[in-house]
Amino acid sequence: MLKAKICLIGEAAVGKTSLIRRYVEDSFDDRYISTLGSKVSLKKLWLTSRSDPKRNVEVQLSVWDLIGERSYLDTLHKEYLKGAQGLIAVCDVTRYSTFEALDQWIPAAFRITGQVPLALVVNKLDLKDQVMCLYDEHEPQEKAERYGGFAVWSSAKSGMNVNPVFGNIALAVVRRIAAPEAQ
């Protein structure tokens, strides 16, 4: 069994807690309760080798939900981010400012974690039709690629693309651990 620490970063109220709850418990609650400090959730998953379908890797994800306050980036977040092997940077489709803020969150996190696998998640896609969306459809992927990661549009409410985000970041972490010389 391989253990991996994944941290979710981003502004307050972008849906970090909801993404984790959907992934770990397959549930959703639209009441907003601010995360204080951090919360850790555990989830096991199994990855199967494409080249050898009989070979499975059990991965225990330790998923850290961090408070969405940039003022803690130089203090509290340093402790929480230590040892993280992957990052999920989350923004809200209804608030473009949360997307722009990732340009502060991601570099600050990388200063602590090093260049680890990154998923950029544009969350709350279920609300896209209720707001004037300021995002160009290619913008998230372009930003993710600048940081060496990938982008996904998701909805914690509907569950759309939530499991693939966590599965793909886990896969990227396993690949990095299995073949560190390729990094």
Side-chain angles (χ1 to χ4, degrees):
M1 176 175 46
L2 185 119
K3 294 183 178 185
K5 179 179 179 181
I6 307 296
C7 291
L8 276 76
I9 58 172
E11 297 290 282
V14 294
K16 297 181 300 290
T17 302
S18 293
L19 285 166
I20 294 168
R21 185 175 291 136
R22 172 62 69 191
Y23 180 64
V24 173
E25 303 169 9
D26 195 24
S27 67
F28 178 82
D29 185 345
D30 58 8
R31 292 175 295 171
Y32 177 68
I33 300 171
S34 181
T35 300
L36 301 174
S38 72
K39 181 180 185 234
V40 181
S41 301
L42 299 175
K43 174 86 174 191
K44 286 184 184 177
L45 67 142
W46 290 263
L47 300 174
T48 303
S49 170
R50 274 191 220 163
S51 59
D52 182 4
K54 295 179 201 158
R55 207 169 108 213
N56 292 314
V57 176
E58 181 180 346
V59 181
Q60 181 176 326
L61 290 182
S62 171
V63 184
W64 291 58
D65 183 3
L66 305 185
I67 185 171
E69 292 292 330
R70 275 179 278 164
S71 60
Y72 291 115
L73 278 170
D74 293 325
T75 56
L76 197 57
H77 286 122
K78 280 186 177 179
E79 294 304 313
Y80 296 146
L81 287 163
K82 280 184 184 170
Q85 295 160 295
L87 295 172
I88 298 176
V90 184
C91 60
D92 177 344
V93 75
T94 69
R95 294 183 294 146
Y96 191 76
S97 62
T98 65
F99 177 73
E100 294 173 313
L102 293 180
D103 285 322
Q104 292 177 335
W105 282 99
I106 296 168
F110 279 167
R111 282 193 293 276
I112 299 159
T113 64
Q115 191 77 27
V116 296
L118 170 77
L120 190 156
V121 176
V122 182
N123 193 33
K124 302 186 183 182
L125 197 57
D126 53 286
L127 300 177
K128 186 176 182 181
D129 294 335
Q130 297 176 21
V131 297
M132 186 178 98
C133 187
L134 301 173
Y135 291 75
D136 173 276
E137 67 181 69
H138 303 291
E139 211 172 357
Q141 185 61 37
E142 289 167 2
K143 182 177 290 215
E145 287 173 2
R146 278 198 313 271
Y147 292 111
F150 63 93
V152 176
W153 296 70
S154 76
S155 168
K157 185 173 188 174
S158 72
M160 186 185 86
N161 288 332
V162 174
N163 286 349
V165 167
F166 285 92
N168 286 329
I169 201 74
L171 182 59
V173 168
V174 168
R175 284 182 175 152
R176 182 181 169 110
I177 291 169
E181 66 282 349
Q183 302 302 316

